[in-house]
Amino acid sequence: EEEAREKGYDILLGHYDYRNTAKGMAMGVEEGFVKVVVEDKTYRILGGHIIGPYAPIMMQEIINAMNTEDGTVSSIQRSMYIHPATPEVVQRAFFGLHKHEEHHH
């Protein structure tokens, strides 16, 4: 997020907690989350963070989407996800994109 702002991107952020999915709840994950950074105008994926079980496997899904022809969120948002499964938290982070203005005090 910080790097994207430094490079002058207008960004959207998406965040979702593992515990808000059926699988995350069943696994008892209290602290895990997915956070994604997307360019506002193009919806091109700029990056993300995943903290929690299976993070490397789920990050691969974001990397694959970044390397599609357009590199946008569309392949993740259009896909069907197995339920319950941990990758649902990735898709839900992309469905929850919102503008987050940086505030200076």
Side-chain angles (χ1 to χ4, degrees), residues 36-39 43-48 62 65-66 71-73 76 94:
V36 293
V37 182
V38 174
E39 187 176 16
Y43 286 89
R44 191 168 58 93
I45 301 168
L46 300 174
I62 295 172
M66 290 174 74
T72 70
V73 302
I76 290 176
F94 281 104

Side-chain angles (χ1 to χ4, degrees), residues 17-91:
D17 293 327
Y18 275 67
R19 68 176 170 241
N20 293 330
T21 63
K23 186 68 171 182
M25 186 180 289
M27 292 170 59
V29 179
E30 290 295 320
E31 302 297 320
F33 68 91
V34 173
K35 179 180 179 182
V36 293
V37 182
V38 174
E39 187 176 16
D40 187 11
K41 306 267 186 292
T42 65
Y43 286 89
R44 191 168 58 93
I45 301 168
L46 300 174
H49 305 281
I50 301 178
I51 306 295
Y54 309 110
I57 295 166
M58 295 195 312
M59 184 56 83
Q60 186 63 52
E61 182 173 0
I62 295 172
I63 292 167
N64 290 346
M66 290 174 74
N67 287 288
T68 61
E69 190 172 311
D70 64 3
T72 70
V73 302
S74 65
S75 65
I76 290 176
Q77 288 181 336
R78 292 186 311 218
S79 294
M80 293 179 64
Y81 280 68
I82 297 167
H83 174 76
T86 52
E88 286 180 299
V89 74
V90 172
Q91 186 183 43

